[in-house]
Amino acid sequence: QVQLVESGGGLVQSGWSLRLSCVASDSAFERYAMMWYRQRPGSKRELVAGITKASTTTKYADAVKGRFTISRDNAKNTAYLQMTDLKPEDAAVYYCHADLDIGDISSFGSWGQGTQVTVSS
């Protein structure tokens, strides 16, 4: 399992952009699909975006399609989530997750510690 560390969260105004980063501890990163989940207070953790090992496929939650872009750089062991046109309802703790395929939550997977995104209206 890889160790994951997120960064890039913060407080922004509605309509602004943020880029989250998720750095993995070693090159095993390239063997995993990468995902971003978010959890709002009182809600379950939900899948926001996912990308396959070789970046051939990406998937997005309907709520973020057209505004968020997931990408990865296997040479840097890093995954990104570019978020544009942020809305108050995007405010949450964002977690990166590495696993065998997009949408998997298995014993082979790893989670980061989370990064807070706050959006003021």
Side-chain angles (χ1 to χ4, degrees), residues 4 8 27 29 32 38 41 53-54 63 65 68 70 72 84 118:
L4 304 173
S27 61
F29 171 81
Y32 294 92
R38 68 185 181 189
K53 290 178 284 188
K65 281 181 182 176
F68 290 13
I70 189 171
R72 65 189 295 160
T84 64
T118 303

Side-chain angles (χ1 to χ4, degrees), residues 65-84:
K65 281 181 182 176
R67 299 188 297 120
F68 290 13
T69 303
I70 189 171
S71 62
R72 65 189 295 160
D73 185 338
N74 287 349
K76 296 182 178 179
N77 298 338
T78 303
Y80 304 97
L81 185 68
Q82 179 68 49
M83 305 184 293
T84 64

Side-chain angles (χ1 to χ4, degrees), residues 2 4 6 13 15 21 31 33 35-36 44 47 54 56 63-64 76 79 87 89-90 98 101 103 110 116:
V2 293
L4 304 173
E6 302 103 333
Q13 294 184 7
S21 298
R31 304 177 197 165
M35 288 146 277
W36 287 95
K44 294 181 179 180
L47 178 61
T56 50
V64 306
K76 296 182 178 179
K87 305 177 186 300
E89 53 265 38
D90 294 318
D101 202 355
S110 300
Q116 178 73 50

Side-chain angles (χ1 to χ4, degrees), residues 92-109:
V93 179
Y94 284 73
Y95 298 89
C96 66
H97 177 63
D99 218 310
L100 300 178
D101 202 355
I102 296 174
D104 285 356
I105 300 179
S106 76
S107 59
F108 298 102

